[in-house]
């Protein structure tokens, strides 16, 4: 079996001045583990976890602890069996008030790493071809320069990603998600946290219940799901599939095929909206108002309002009520509403 060297670093974050007031000296405790496992599970508890890459075909783990209690009160435990290593930190109840740690894990390509923390931050930097899963309660999750597969989940911690390439999934309850310069497949989901994604080359799925979503510069497929939060989408080329319940959804500078659905949230496209293929818009109560740059000769309009006879239907200057069929262009725009107006300018 390929040998893996795993390295872990733990350091106290309390100030020396505070320690001197209470204790004559610090306790320093150091451990080192050489592992043969190919899968590593880390339970970081309250520790700050840092994951970096190593050029060697191995992982490295060095443990160094500094705290105000005896070394017997805190230690790193490694349980290795069947190609899998479980790494944990134990801290006695007496030492918890004075202990805080940092774990630095250097991983080789193709490593499989699972990290669990309570409130400790997690930083993942420049790791290549790894499969990493992180679950945290309230700690911040920060990643940069990662290539491979990454799954991040936190309840209230902030999540940031930048300069990434691969397959990424991010999930929060109230924590914000910020992603920049992404390539590959990205999935962002939050209940109430703000989602901000900029510069994606590939596919992006973004979903929020009540949090706002701000998506800018996408080259590829975009799938957006919103409930009550406001969604802003700009500078997209590819295919957009978006739906909202009551939140407003606005588009700016898009050149793509569009499939849009709303219940009562307003849909608007204020400027530089160019349809590249047949598109459809469905609404129950929400208004649809799109300003298209397409020449009228490119378009065929099939607009209908099923219940409100006074609802305004407009297609490039032609106005009717209840039903409007106009044009014979190759790009067919199908739009239906139960009670609200549909306007394509």
């Amino acid at each position: 079996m390929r040998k893996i060297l795993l390295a872990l670093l733990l350091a106290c974050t309390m100030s020396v001045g505070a320690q001197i007031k209470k204790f004559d000296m610090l306790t320093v405790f150091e451990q080192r583990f050489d592992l043969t496992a190919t899968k590593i599970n880390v339970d970081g508890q309250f520790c700050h976890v840092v994951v970096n890459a190593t050029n060697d075909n191995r992982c490295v783990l060095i443990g160094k602890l500094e705290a105000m209690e005896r070394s017997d009160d805190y230690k790193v435990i490694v349980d290795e069996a069947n190609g899998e290593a479980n790494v944990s930190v134990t801290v006695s109840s007496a030492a918890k008030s004075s202990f805080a740690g940092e774990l630095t894990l250097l991983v080789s390509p193709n490593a499989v790493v699972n990290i669990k923390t309570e409130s400790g931050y997690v930083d993942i930097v420049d790791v290549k071809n790894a499969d990493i899963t992180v679950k945290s309660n309230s700690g911040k999750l920060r990643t940069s320069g990662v290539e491979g597969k990454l799954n991040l989940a936190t309840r209230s911690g902030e999540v940031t990603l930048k300069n990434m390439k691969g397959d990424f999934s991010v999930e929060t309850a109230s924590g914000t998600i910020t992603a920049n310069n992404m390539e590959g497949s990205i999935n962002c989901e939050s209940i109430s946290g703000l989602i901000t994604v900029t510069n994606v080359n590939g596919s992006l799925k973004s979903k929020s219940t009540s949090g706002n979503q701000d998506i800018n510069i996408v080259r590829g497929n975009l799938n957006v799901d919103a409930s009550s939060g406001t969604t802003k989408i700009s500078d997209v080329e590819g295919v957009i599939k978006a739906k909202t319940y009551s939140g407003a959804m606005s588009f700016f500078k898009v050149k793509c095929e569009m499939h849009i659905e709303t219940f009562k949230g307003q849909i608007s496209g204020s400027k530089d909206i160019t349809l590249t293929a047949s598109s459809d818009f469905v609404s129950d109560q929400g208004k649809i108002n799109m300003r298209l740059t397409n020449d009228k000769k490119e378009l065929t309009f099939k607009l209908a309002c099923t219940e409100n006879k006074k609802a305004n239907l407009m297609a490039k200057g032609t106005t009717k009520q209840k039903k409007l069929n106009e044009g014979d262009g190759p790009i067919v725009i199908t739009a239906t509403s139960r009670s609200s107006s549909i306007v394509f300018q």
Side-chain angles (χ1 to χ4, degrees), residues 34-309:
D34 295 337
L35 306 177
T36 59
T38 57
K39 181 179 180 181
I40 304 162
N41 305 312
V42 179
D43 186 354
Q45 297 190 49
F46 306 100
C47 296
H48 177 197
V49 180
V50 179
V51 183
N52 295 127
T54 176
N55 293 327
D56 297 330
N57 191 27
R58 61 183 184 176
C59 305
V60 181
L61 174 65
I62 301 169
K64 183 179 180 182
L65 302 167
E66 295 181 3
M68 295 185 293
E69 302 293 336
R70 300 169 306 166
S71 62
D72 291 342
D73 289 327
Y74 48 89
K75 63 182 64 177
V76 179
I77 297 178
V78 176
D79 182 15
E80 184 180 6
N82 301 320
E84 185 171 346
N86 295 309
V87 180
S88 60
V89 179
T90 61
V91 183
S92 69
S93 57
K96 281 185 178 180
S97 62
S98 63
F99 175 85
E102 180 176 290
L103 299 87
T104 299
L105 177 65
L106 305 182
V107 298
S108 63
N110 303 314
V112 177
V113 180
N114 297 304
I115 299 170
K116 181 175 65 174
T117 71
E118 284 295 324
S119 58
Y121 290 13
V122 177
D123 290 304
I124 306 172
V125 181
D126 295 334
V127 177
K128 312 299 182 184
N129 300 320
D131 185 345
I132 302 176
T133 298
V134 180
K135 293 183 178 180
S136 178
N137 185 25
S138 59
K140 292 183 179 181
L141 310 182
R142 301 175 293 201
T143 68
S144 176
V146 175
E147 296 183 9
K149 185 177 181 181
L150 186 63
N151 295 288
L152 306 176
T154 179
R155 184 179 61 82
S156 59
E158 299 176 5
V159 181
T160 59
L161 307 93
K162 62 180 180 179
N163 304 326
M164 313 280 282
K165 183 177 181 180
D167 186 354
F168 307 107
S169 177
V170 184
E171 183 176 350
T172 75
S174 59
T176 62
I177 300 173
T178 304
N180 189 20
N181 292 332
M182 309 290 291
E183 181 176 348
S185 176
I186 302 96
N187 185 6
C188 300
E189 184 172 347
S190 181
I191 295 175
S192 60
L194 170 66
I195 298 176
T196 304
V197 183
T198 304
N199 198 7
V200 173
N201 187 0
S203 64
L204 169 63
K205 292 183 179 180
S206 183
K207 180 178 181 180
S208 180
T209 302
S210 59
N212 295 339
Q213 300 179 74
D214 192 349
I215 299 168
N216 183 39
I217 311 176
V218 177
R219 301 295 181 264
N221 296 328
L222 173 61
N223 191 320
V224 179
D225 192 342
S227 182
S228 60
T230 299
T231 303
K232 297 179 180 179
I233 298 172
S234 64
D235 200 351
V236 179
E237 295 182 10
V239 178
I240 296 178
K241 294 183 179 180
K243 65 179 180 179
T244 180
Y245 180 78
S246 61
M249 188 171 288
S250 61
F251 300 87
F252 171 77
K253 195 181 178 182
V254 301
K255 187 177 181 180
C256 54
E257 175 184 337
M258 302 183 72
H259 304 279
I260 312 299
E261 182 179 349
T262 179
F263 181 75
K264 58 181 179 180
Q266 181 171 322
I267 305 296
S268 63
S270 59
K271 189 177 181 181
D272 292 338
I273 309 299
T274 304
L275 299 180
T276 59
S278 295
S279 302
D280 54 80
F281 301 78
V282 178
S283 172
D284 187 271
Q285 303 171 31
K287 294 181 180 180
I288 298 173
N289 192 335
M290 304 292 289
R291 186 181 296 272
L292 304 180
T293 61
N294 297 79
D295 190 283
K296 189 175 182 179
K297 295 179 180 179
E298 300 179 281
L299 306 174
T300 295
F301 292 95
K302 296 182 178 180
L303 314 183
C305 184
T306 59
E307 291 188 14
N308 187 356
K309 296 180 180 180

